[in-house]
Amino acid sequence: MTFEDELRKGNFQVAECTDCKKIVWPPSDFCNQCFQEIRWRKCANEGKIIEFSKQNNNYFCLAEFENTIKIIGKVAS
Amino acid sequence: MGKVGIVSYGITKFSKEDSKIESLLLKSTKKLFENSPNLSRNDIDAVLVSTNNNSKYLSAILSEMSGIQPKISHTVESLCNSGTNAIVSAYSYIASGLADVVLVSGAERYDSPGQILEWDNSRGEFKHPIFWASIFTKSYKREFSITDEDLAIVSVKNHKQAQNNPNAISEKEYSLDDVLNSKRLTDDLRLLDCSRPCTGGASILLTSEDFCSKFTDDPIWITGIGQKTISAGFTKNTFDYMESTRIAASSALKMSKHNSSDIDVAEIHDAFSVCEPMALESLGFTDKGSGMDMVKELYAANNFKINPRGGLIGSGHPLGATGIAQTIEIVQQLQICANKRQVDDATIGLVHNMSAAATSSTVLILEK
């Protein structure tokens, strides 16, 4: 699987280190702290909007999940 | 470690022309040779090309088209600060003794692939630079109670200053209302708040101290270099100041044994309006949140100290050429040959060049 494939299906997955349990973000093949294997797991559904703006009538935002990772995304009305 | 000096340069007009990348590299290199009557092709030990263009082997191609057979020849790419990265590589070759004379040539086409960083999944579908710029702008406005009207002054100032730069893409001045009424790209960004990707080339010649006098009586020394890369992904960033810039400036100033208050003239990486006040603060020219006060004071006093050539907003932003063009501007300022852009008593200058929302920054200190 790839991050993008899962995202297209509506699944927001993150890569977590099998050893130190840190989230590797943006997703990668190995942990960026200890180079151990990663596993894919579902990310928490709820995030916190850190910042937002609007293009035409569509809001986009920078959101934080699990108090760790940030991503830019659409805000659905 | 011996000194490294800048002894010559050549630059093209920045435009929307549909030129081949090879032609752009050659054009500014030809101008550099025309500016250096004592330069022979055999003098050049290394040719470094700075670009985001996808063509390969450009340094060897430029060398062949220029009749140079260098010892060292390769491309340097680091998105928007490729130019100063190439200059730092040239400095390192000279300082290490591997080369005495290095030609650095940067070029980009208006349709550069370097504007979009596909790898960064944390940007979701929002990979165009206008989105990080909107996040930066919104954060900065909120944190320091800055308005769109305040930020528009950056664009007004830099377009105005660009009118004295014959190589700038901008050919007219804009009023505050022009900027505020320009096309709204997002709620926090208007078209005239943006630097424009464009076509252009810029070349510079660096030498060891022993070789400088062959080419010029007026070398400009690189006395400070600072670089920092925080991440590739945008979202590990700070959003209302530039951490990589702060660290790079601190290193460069320490190396040159100067403080930010010693700097007489600076080229700042104003990819978007908000970048100028943020950079001024991160470089230590003013306190956090006071960047716009400084911009307003300079504009009111018609003081060209910051971005005399018009910055990226006024000059245009041919990615791989930008850092070299910024450096050429500071060289001209310190050589007191910047004509109508000349800043009084310029003896110490600074170049700030960054990539991808300041995830990486380079700062150079130049002196007479």
Side-chain angles (χ1 to χ4, degrees):
Chain A
M1 64 153 278
T2 69
F3 174 76
E4 291 93 335
D5 290 343
E6 287 300 312
L7 201 59
R8 258 178 236 119
K9 290 185 221 158
N11 302 322
F12 179 22
Q13 301 261 342
V14 289
E16 184 184 77
C17 178
T18 52
D19 191 51
C20 74
K21 307 295 180 199
K22 288 199 172 108
I23 298 176
V24 186
W25 185 252
S28 179
D29 303 330
F30 296 100
C31 176
N32 60 4
Q33 298 302 307
C34 62
F35 285 125
Q36 295 303 307
E37 297 285 332
I38 56 108
R39 72 179 185 93
W40 291 94
R41 70 160 174 82
K42 200 173 180 321
C43 185
N45 270 335
E46 278 193 14
K48 184 169 66 179
I49 293 177
I50 304 287
E51 197 51 85
F52 70 94
S53 186
K54 192 166 81 168
Q55 187 181 39
N56 302 321
N57 288 320
N58 305 311
Y59 283 97
F60 58 94
C61 73
L62 179 71
E64 186 177 71
F65 291 86
E66 303 192 13
N67 293 319
T68 309
I69 62 164
K70 299 187 189 79
I71 187 165
I72 305 179
K74 282 180 196 165
V75 182
S77 51
Chain B
M1 192 168 73
K3 287 161 78 176
V4 175
I6 297 167
V7 297
S8 188
Y9 54 82
I11 188 164
T12 73
K13 175 146 178 83
F14 291 179
S15 70
K16 285 284 184 185
E17 246 176 52
D18 186 15
S19 302
K20 286 184 182 167
I21 193 76
E22 295 85 353
S23 304
L24 291 163
L25 290 166
L26 184 61
K27 206 168 169 183
S28 70
T29 298
K30 179 173 178 283
K31 288 195 174 176
L32 182 146
F33 268 85
E34 287 163 3
N35 286 340
S36 328
N38 293 337
L39 176 63
S40 91
R41 288 160 168 78
N42 291 335
D43 290 329
I44 298 176
D45 299 313
V47 174
L48 304 184
V49 162
S50 156
T51 187
N52 291 259
N53 192 282
N54 286 333
S55 295
K56 304 305 170 205
Y57 214 36
L58 283 169
S59 178
I61 293 169
L62 173 63
S63 298
E64 179 170 343
M65 291 194 304
S66 307
I68 305 165
Q69 294 186 321
K71 295 175 190 163
I72 300 159
S73 153
H74 61 84
T75 298
V76 177
E77 182 277 308
S78 178
L79 291 179
C80 304
N81 68 355
S82 302
T84 48
N85 271 273
I87 290 171
V88 171
S89 297
Y91 179 101
S92 306
Y93 280 130
I94 294 166
S96 70
L98 280 173
D100 281 308
V101 180
V102 182
L103 168 68
V104 178
S105 186
E108 208 73 54
R109 282 169 50 85
Y110 64 91
D111 58 356
S112 169
Q115 294 171 62
I116 307 290
L117 183 59
E118 294 291 351
W119 175 84
D120 186 7
N121 278 321
S122 76
R123 299 189 199 198
E125 297 167 23
F126 298 87
K127 289 198 166 57
H128 194 280
I130 63 167
F131 297 109
W132 70 251
S134 297
I135 300 278
F136 262 33
T137 305
K138 190 67 171 284
S139 291
Y140 187 78
K141 286 193 297 189
R142 182 202 316 286
E143 183 65 25
F144 301 113
S145 303
I146 300 292
T147 64
D148 291 336
E149 288 75 12
D150 293 327
L151 289 173
I153 295 168
V154 173
S155 179
V156 171
K157 171 177 88 68
N158 290 348
H159 278 287
K160 181 189 128 192
Q161 293 178 185
Q163 302 319 303
N164 295 312
N165 173 4
N167 296 312
I169 193 169
S170 172
E171 288 178 345
K172 62 179 281 204
E173 293 191 29
Y174 293 95
S175 69
L176 213 52
D177 281 345
D178 290 336
V179 177
L180 290 167
N181 294 325
S182 64
K183 186 180 176 190
R184 181 182 282 249
L185 304 178
T186 69
D187 268 13
D188 296 289
L189 203 66
R190 287 157 181 80
L191 188 64
L192 286 172
D193 286 314
C194 308
S195 61
R196 281 171 284 179
C198 67
T199 300
S203 293
I204 203 161
L205 192 71
L206 291 88
T207 75
S208 59
E209 189 171 9
D210 291 345
F211 279 71
C212 277
S213 59
K214 178 174 177 187
F215 306 110
T216 181
D217 297 329
D218 204 7
I220 299 301
W221 306 105
I222 299 177
T223 59
I225 296 175
Q227 294 191 288
K228 184 67 184 176
T229 296
I230 300 284
S231 60
F234 168 64
T235 63
K236 288 203 177 90
N237 229 333
T238 46
F239 304 104
D240 54 26
Y241 80 105
M242 299 166 173
E243 177 66 0
S244 68
T245 294
R246 186 188 67 74
I247 295 168
S250 166
S251 306
L253 289 165
K254 187 176 173 194
M255 179 174 163
S256 71
K257 300 187 174 64
H258 288 296
N259 298 312
S260 53
S261 57
D262 298 331
I263 303 297
D264 302 308
V265 58
E267 276 289 321
I268 305 297
H269 195 105
D270 58 329
F272 298 93
S273 293
V274 72
C275 297
E276 184 159 309
M278 278 171 76
L280 290 172
E281 295 164 21
S282 304
L283 290 162
F285 285 126
T286 186
D287 295 336
K288 263 193 188 179
S290 301
M292 273 318 307
D293 295 337
M294 183 173 171
V295 172
K296 285 179 189 173
E297 280 167 28
L298 291 169
Y299 176 63
N302 198 32
N303 182 335
F304 278 42
K305 172 176 176 171
I306 301 298
N307 282 330
R309 76 188 175 112
L312 279 61
I313 288 177
S315 304
H317 183 22
L319 279 59
T322 284
I324 299 167
Q326 291 177 306
T327 305
I328 291 171
E329 176 66 21
I330 298 301
V331 168
Q332 290 180 326
Q333 290 285 341
L334 301 183
Q335 290 177 336
I336 317 293
C337 60
N339 301 321
K340 287 182 183 168
R341 309 184 308 281
Q342 186 63 50
V343 172
D344 293 341
D345 304 321
T347 57
I348 307 174
L350 178 149
V351 176
H352 165 244
N353 188 201
M354 68 184 201
S355 287
T359 48
S360 176
S361 293
T362 304
V363 173
L364 306 177
I365 309 294
L366 307 184
E367 292 183 63
K368 276 187 189 179

